[in-house]
Amino acid sequence: MNTNAMFKLSYGLFVLTTKLQGKDNGCIVNTVQQIADKPLRIAVAVNKANYTHDMLKQSGIFNASILSEKATFDIFKRFGFASGRDTDKFKGFEDKTARSENGLIYITEGTNAYISGNVVDSVDLGSHTMFIAEVTDCELLSQDNSATYDFYHINIKPKPQATEKKGYRCKICGYVYEGENLPDDFVCPICKHPASDFEKI
Ligand code: FE
């Protein structure tokens, strides 16, 4: 079995936002899909390590802002590489957001649409929970192309700097672990991806 086959799957990229007890939070996900037409249903799988996961389990409502090819790396750093447990991800970003009818934030810059969902079911998948939602609202924001996961890696993520450092580089965010051996249970301190997402440099 070659798990690199998984990298041949195509994904979009989204900012998933929710709100609980007056607190807004959000994270980057790549797993929003339309899964039924009548009634209109979408699914999103969220890593249990994300604070947004715990909030969504309780709130049962979310917005998925669809990132476009105009999205900057700043959006990925802001929503993907920090935790809402100890930071307000929207601080200094207020002018690039708006609120939809459900009262939740959506992202207005570097996006081409948003979809509002009410969770109607969830499935425990181990590392992730899959939330199944009815679509309560959705709007177009621009005609820009949607960013795919491949597009992010080729065009948005900064190119690795030439470095004297020896060790392992995170393929997701570029963090470098210095050392001869990367522990199997190592987790990237920046983007929280596991040792299997590191390459030797
Ligand atoms: Fe990383």
Side-chain angles (χ1 to χ4, degrees), residues 89-148:
K89 296 189 180 183
F90 302 100
K91 199 172 174 207
F93 198 72
E94 294 86 354
D95 58 335
K96 293 164 188 162
T97 65
R99 287 198 188 268
S100 52
E101 279 190 10
N102 60 3
L104 301 189
I105 284 176
Y106 64 93
I107 311 299
T108 56
E109 198 170 288
T111 52
N112 58 18
Y114 74 86
I115 303 171
S116 298
N118 275 6
V119 174
V120 294
D121 207 349
S122 66
V123 184
D124 188 332
L125 299 174
S127 62
H128 291 57
T129 300
M130 184 172 69
F131 297 95
I132 296 166
E134 63 169 324
V135 174
T136 57
D137 191 16
C138 45
E139 291 295 342
L140 284 173
L141 300 171
S142 77
Q143 292 301 325
D144 299 327
N145 292 330
S146 297
T148 62

Side-chain angles (χ1 to χ4, degrees), residues 73 150-163 169-176 199:
F73 187 61
D150 266 355
F151 185 89
Y152 166 77
H153 280 289
I154 295 165
N155 297 294
I156 299 177
K157 187 176 73 169
K159 298 279 173 286
Q161 304 291 312
T163 174
R169 180 186 293 115
C170 174
K171 288 189 276 189
I172 309 300
C173 75
Y175 172 82
V176 173
E199 59 190 353

Side-chain angles (χ1 to χ4, degrees), residues 81 169-175 187-193 197-198:
F81 301 167
R169 180 186 293 115
C170 174
K171 288 189 276 189
I172 309 300
C173 75
Y175 172 82
V187 174
C188 177
I190 306 293
C191 71
K192 314 296 182 205
H193 277 248
D197 283 325
F198 280 72

Side-chain angles (χ1 to χ4, degrees), residues 1-11:
M1 177 158 119
N2 183 350
T3 53
N4 283 328
M6 293 298 166
F7 290 111
K8 299 302 183 193
L9 289 168
S10 177
Y11 299 94

